[in-house]
Amino acid sequence: MSEHGRHPQTSGHGIAAEGRARRRSVAPSASGEDKVTERTADASVAVPRFPRQFARTRRFSLGLPRHFTVSPDGRRVLFIRGTSGADPVSRLWLHENGDERLLADPLTLSNTTDSIPDEERVRRERAREASSGVVSYATDNDALIAVFALNGELWTVRTDRGEPRRIPTAGPVVDPRPSPDGSRIAYVTGGALHVVGIDGTDDRALAAPESAEVTYGLSDHASAESMGRLHGYWWSPDGVALLVARVDNSPVQRWYICDPADPTKKPTAVAYPQAGTANAKVSLHLVHTAGRAPVEVRLPTVAPEETHPEGEWTDTSFEYIPVAGWDGLGPFAQVQTRDQRTVQLLAIDANTGATESLDIRHDPAWVELVPGAPRRLPSGAVLRTFICDDGLTGLSLDGVRTPRGLNVREVTAVSDERIHFLANEEPTEVHVWRYDPADGFTRVSEGPGVYAVAVGGDTVVLDSRTQSGRSVTVSDHGVERGRIAVLTEEPVVTPQPIHHSLGKRELRSQLYLPSWYEQGSGRLPVLLNPYSGVGMQLVVRAREWWTCVSQWFAEQGFAVLVTDGRGTPGRGREWEKAIRGDRLTPALRDQIDALHAAAEQYPDLDLTAVAIRGWSYGGYLAAGAVLRHPEVFHAAVAGGTPTDRRLYDTHWEERFLGHPEVFPQAYRRSSLVPDAHLLSRPLLLVHGVADDNVHVAHTLRLSAALVAAGRPHTVLPLSGATHLVTGTDQASGLLLLEASFLRNSLNL
């Protein structure tokens, strides 16, 4: 989706002002799903105020409680949150007996600011962390001790008494986590894995890097960015050993990130595994706190060829470790082949490092990685995923399967008696489900929305995202016993999406109309505001930051259409894998079909004035739209755009397009640079120059090709910005600049 930046105060919102006294009364034709009648929003107030609020609240993320940990007895719930919807400093809190208590306030603990280690900056970027202060923490098994890093310092606090204590360390701290019994704390500094006593004694390195290219206890780029594995070590339940990832980046090519606005600052080297190039060498090691010699885990090197799916490009080497850990039965790991068509779950012998296969999955396109599954239960049974005959993802345990029509997204908590997981029946909603042998499958969450859950004992923390906002409830045996306060600011713009399933593919879409608009009173220019890429949905039954942005653009005088097309989650294997070999054509087709279907139901939509905007994949879609379909799209804003698919990382890009040397036509078909000569519409390209996910080279290469072809366009570099633009001036100003650019481009 998009980030936002800087613009002068001439945003131009005359259309909104003209209609401020009108009431909105919009009814689609008989084929529409929703009939909406809403009160007037005072657009003259909301339109200018929203961009600054949006930026100041970091996309309404400040004040949100997150990262919940529930103690095994269910009595204590730890979480992170600021003190208000405008407070960028996260603090550590405890919810107990229905009350909240502050455990750690960074503003009282450290006099230094913004002095975090480079490895921690990278970890936060991979996690898309927008706040400062205590942004992550870890606890012992009983959630009595919590540890966290603050400006490179190691801190610990008991949840039952006392004040936070700083523990001296050998160097700046990254990713500290206590042993399950709370007696020691492991952390990474300078690429070495250290352990220190909870009292601050006996700090020593358990695994030290052999060269500057090697780290112990950290994740590699592909695992963190494309697989979601942010950790690089895992404690044994008895606290005497750890499973540790060793990462050797020496085979990986180097990219360089610099800020041209500061010529005195040296470029930063980044080990970036571009599609078709070498990955980091990742191995696992068993390391003991008592000084025993480390043992390398004997991971399989290749998948069995007799069961591996055939293909024009086949690479059976197990290069990826998407998951690793240590449960009550021992260490385990999941490995994946370079071509991503075989994934294997392995049990690891804690003494010898030998492995045994617990589960193996294949797919002729790619095996989808489902967070939390497959996994072992304490009984030793394996909870497996499978593809149902309707193409949805199901769960299987000892012959018991999830009901037909239920699409599993994530397994969140497992015990011998109970399993909690996230799943959808309707793609625009994600609900919490529970399975236990006595009651079978039960849906926990109620009402339209997107839900998440944390569990400990019989306590359930339900994080609810609905169209009215966010709430967090704490329940015991199904009875609510408290709430965790959500302190986000109320948006000055209230989203009023009209939900649709458009066209023959029943494309899930939302239409946003100006609050002051009356049907039949005039034509409305159309703005498509999609992401529509892998791993993220915008069309959900919940109020999110992007729904607020869409409504704000509607108040500018646009009819805003948001559509989730093929490739997005929630609709099964065929839907998600329809983009294999071509990341652009099916996605663009879905946007066009949704646009035309919406115009049939709403004749006031002006198809002679259609714009499109987006960030990241959404920016890729926007730029592709004006390049390949100028007969439909008349202007575009494309931010953080991956214009050359060969420049993205191995795990992500090869999943969809294969190896670039084997499938050069797929990369050519899915890239925008070769189409630069086709541009005939206004195009604004925006990019953060410090982006280490989608390098600014993407935008610069497209711009160079456009210049060579004599095609006018506009480029806006954002100094110091990464893929997540958080600067208040940049984030607020860019939103205004986009609106101005689109209105001018459409002659509004």
Side-chain angles (χ1 to χ4, degrees):
M1 199 40 191
S2 76
E3 312 297 337
H4 310 288
R6 183 179 181 86
H7 183 282
Q9 294 302 311
T10 55
S11 60
H13 32 78
I15 289 182
E18 289 175 8
R20 76 178 69 140
R22 301 177 183 176
R23 292 182 59 83
R24 170 182 172 192
S25 179
V26 180
S29 66
S31 58
E33 291 186 352
D34 295 341
K35 183 175 181 179
V36 178
T37 302
E38 300 294 342
R39 65 179 177 83
T40 299
D42 189 352
S44 65
V45 175
V47 168
R49 286 177 54 198
F50 177 80
R52 195 71 181 178
Q53 183 193 38
F54 175 79
R56 177 173 45 79
T57 62
R58 308 279 171 90
R59 305 187 301 186
F60 303 102
S61 66
L62 302 181
L64 274 179
R66 64 195 193 280
H67 299 332
F68 302 102
T69 300
V70 187
S71 62
D73 60 10
R75 294 177 55 189
R76 295 173 297 283
V77 179
L78 283 82
F79 62 96
I80 287 173
R81 191 194 58 208
T83 59
S84 73
D87 180 7
V89 180
S90 293
R91 293 153 172 87
L92 181 62
W93 300 80
L94 173 70
H95 182 278
E96 188 174 21
N97 298 324
D99 296 322
E100 293 182 6
R101 178 163 59 90
L102 181 62
L103 290 178
D105 183 350
L107 298 184
T108 66
L109 300 181
S110 177
N111 294 322
T112 59
T113 58
D114 202 31
S115 59
I116 61 176
D118 289 340
E119 297 91 342
E120 175 64 11
R121 292 183 189 277
V122 171
R123 192 199 66 78
R124 294 186 185 188
E125 181 67 21
R126 300 286 78 79
R128 305 293 187 262
E129 178 59 57
S131 66
S132 60
V134 182
V135 299
S136 64
Y137 69 96
T139 71
D140 65 342
N141 189 60
D142 294 324
L144 287 172
I145 294 172
V147 303
F148 56 92
L150 184 62
N151 295 322
E153 298 174 343
L154 176 59
W155 289 83
T156 181
V157 61
R158 290 191 63 91
T159 61
D160 56 350
R161 64 179 185 276
E163 298 294 324
R165 293 187 305 111
R166 189 175 74 84
I167 298 178
T169 56
V173 169
V174 179
D175 194 21
R177 282 181 282 154
S179 59
D181 64 1
S183 64
R184 300 180 178 92
I185 303 172
Y187 67 93
V188 179
T189 186
L193 180 67
H194 279 243
V195 66
V196 61
I198 194 70
D199 59 358
T201 63
D202 195 24
D203 188 330
R204 52 200 167 89
L206 298 182
E210 297 84 0
S211 72
E213 302 289 346
V214 174
T215 63
Y216 283 92
L218 297 177
S219 188
D220 61 290
H221 179 95
S223 296
E225 183 66 50
S226 299
M227 296 174 244
R229 179 171 65 76
L230 297 176
H231 295 302
Y233 71 90
W234 303 268
W235 279 102
S236 65
D238 58 11
V240 301
L242 302 98
L243 180 66
V244 183
R246 179 185 185 271
V247 176
D248 181 357
N249 280 309
S250 59
V252 185
Q253 67 178 7
R254 292 303 188 271
W255 283 8
Y256 296 90
I257 310 293
C258 66
D259 187 353
D262 185 358
T264 66
K265 190 175 181 179
K266 292 182 178 179
T268 301
V270 176
Y272 193 95
Q274 176 184 345
T277 66
N279 282 306
K281 294 180 179 178
V282 183
S283 56
L284 295 177
H285 300 256
L286 295 162
V287 178
H288 293 264
T289 60
R292 289 174 51 186
V295 175
E296 182 171 355
V297 176
R298 299 200 295 274
L299 297 173
T301 57
V302 295
E305 292 188 6
E306 61 271 17
T307 58
H308 189 78
E310 295 182 356
E312 188 175 344
W313 172 56
T314 300
D315 191 335
T316 61
S317 58
F318 281 122
E319 289 200 15
Y320 300 120
I321 304 177
V323 176
W326 202 319
D327 58 26
L329 299 173
F332 61 88
Q334 187 184 67
V335 292
Q336 184 181 44
T337 57
R338 173 75 182 246
D339 64 14
Q340 302 187 46
R341 299 208 294 272
T342 292
V343 173
Q344 190 170 17
L345 179 65
L346 303 165
I348 301 171
D349 187 295
N351 293 313
T352 67
T355 59
E356 176 188 359
S357 179
L358 297 175
D359 181 75
I360 190 165
R361 292 178 293 155
H362 309 283
D363 190 283
W366 68 82
V367 177
E368 196 68 33
L369 300 175
V370 178
R375 67 194 295 173
R376 288 185 296 195
L377 273 65
S379 64
V382 177
L383 180 65
R384 294 178 167 87
T385 60
F386 69 97
I387 302 298
C388 311
D389 55 9
D390 56 6
L392 301 180
T393 299
L395 288 177
S396 173
L397 177 65
D398 292 336
V400 178
R401 293 189 167 195
T402 45
R404 181 179 173 82
L406 198 60
N407 185 63
V408 175
R409 302 291 195 96
E410 179 179 355
V411 177
T412 56
V414 167
S415 67
D416 267 335
E417 299 80 20
R418 196 170 295 156
I419 299 168
H420 283 82
F421 61 95
L422 308 181
N424 70 272
E425 296 170 286
E426 159 57 38
T428 59
E429 301 180 29
V430 178
H431 285 277
V432 176
W433 285 75
R434 180 182 65 238
Y435 169 77
D436 62 56
D439 300 327
F441 291 94
T442 306
R443 201 176 88 175
V444 175
S445 50
E446 298 179 357
V450 177
Y451 298 85
V453 70
V455 179
D458 292 312
T459 296
V460 173
V461 178
L462 186 65
D463 188 352
S464 306
R465 297 152 53 194
T466 67
Q467 293 184 121
S468 61
R470 194 80 165 258
S471 64
V472 179
T473 58
V474 181
S475 301
D476 187 3
H477 291 88
V479 178
E480 183 177 322
R481 62 178 176 86
R483 292 198 169 212
I484 294 175
V486 175
L487 304 178
T488 54
E489 287 192 11
E490 191 70 14
V492 295
V493 171
T494 302
Q496 298 292 342
I498 307 170
H499 291 263
H500 287 283
S501 294
L502 298 173
K504 63 181 181 180
R505 286 187 292 280
E506 297 182 340
L507 296 160
R508 300 308 195 267
S509 302
Q510 291 172 332
L511 181 65
Y512 299 79
L513 296 169
S515 60
W516 43 263
Y517 185 73
E518 293 181 357
Q519 188 175 9
S521 63
R523 307 295 299 279
L524 286 174
V526 184
L527 174 62
L528 273 62
N529 192 21
Y531 178 77
S532 202
V534 176
M536 183 177 180
Q537 292 174 264
L538 298 191
V539 183
V540 292
R541 299 268 179 173
R543 188 180 75 189
E544 302 283 6
W545 65 264
W546 56 82
T547 65
C548 298
V549 170
S550 289
Q551 188 66 50
W552 181 78
F553 271 103
E555 302 300 341
Q556 303 283 319
F558 292 94
V560 180
L561 184 65
V562 182
T563 299
D564 285 341
R566 283 169 288 180
T568 55
R571 298 192 61 174
R573 182 188 185 280
E574 183 179 352
W575 182 270
E576 294 184 22
K577 297 182 180 180
I579 60 171
R580 188 187 184 204
D582 189 342
R583 300 205 60 192
L584 188 57
T585 305
L588 275 180
R589 185 73 262 162
D590 288 342
Q591 297 299 315
I592 295 170
D593 288 353
L595 170 66
H596 290 159
E600 289 180 3
Q601 297 186 35
Y602 297 86
D604 289 348
L605 270 59
D606 187 356
L607 296 186
T608 68
V610 178
I612 183 171
R613 69 179 289 274
W615 191 273
S616 195
Y617 184 89
Y620 166 72
L621 210 57
V626 290
L627 287 171
R628 297 195 181 181
H629 292 283
E631 77 284 3
V632 176
F633 300 98
H634 307 101
V637 174
T641 304
T643 66
D644 186 343
R645 306 310 318 193
R646 296 171 300 174
L647 289 181
Y648 210 71
D649 76 49
T650 51
H651 189 273
W652 191 260
E653 211 59 41
E654 292 171 9
R655 181 189 318 174
F656 314 113
L657 301 180
H659 197 287
E661 294 181 4
V662 180
F663 299 105
Q665 71 280 8
Y667 283 82
R668 165 62 178 82
R669 185 165 51 239
S670 300
S671 295
L672 304 179
V673 176
D675 296 333
H677 65 285
L678 300 176
L679 183 66
S680 59
R681 300 294 191 184
L683 172 62
L684 171 61
L685 298 172
V686 186
H687 217 118
V689 297
D691 194 336
D692 68 350
N693 177 23
V694 181
H695 196 281
V696 70
H698 284 271
T699 285
L700 296 178
R701 288 190 180 190
L702 177 58
S703 177
L706 290 167
V707 170
R711 304 297 178 178
H713 63 287
T714 304
V715 177
L716 177 61
L718 301 179
S719 178
T722 65
H723 202 58
L724 181 67
V725 180
T726 57
T728 300
D729 288 339
Q730 283 187 333
S732 61
L734 180 54
L735 198 58
L736 294 168
L737 177 58
E738 289 185 51
S740 178
F741 176 85
L742 293 172
R743 289 177 52 76
N744 291 335
S745 298
L746 297 178
N747 297 315
L748 301 178

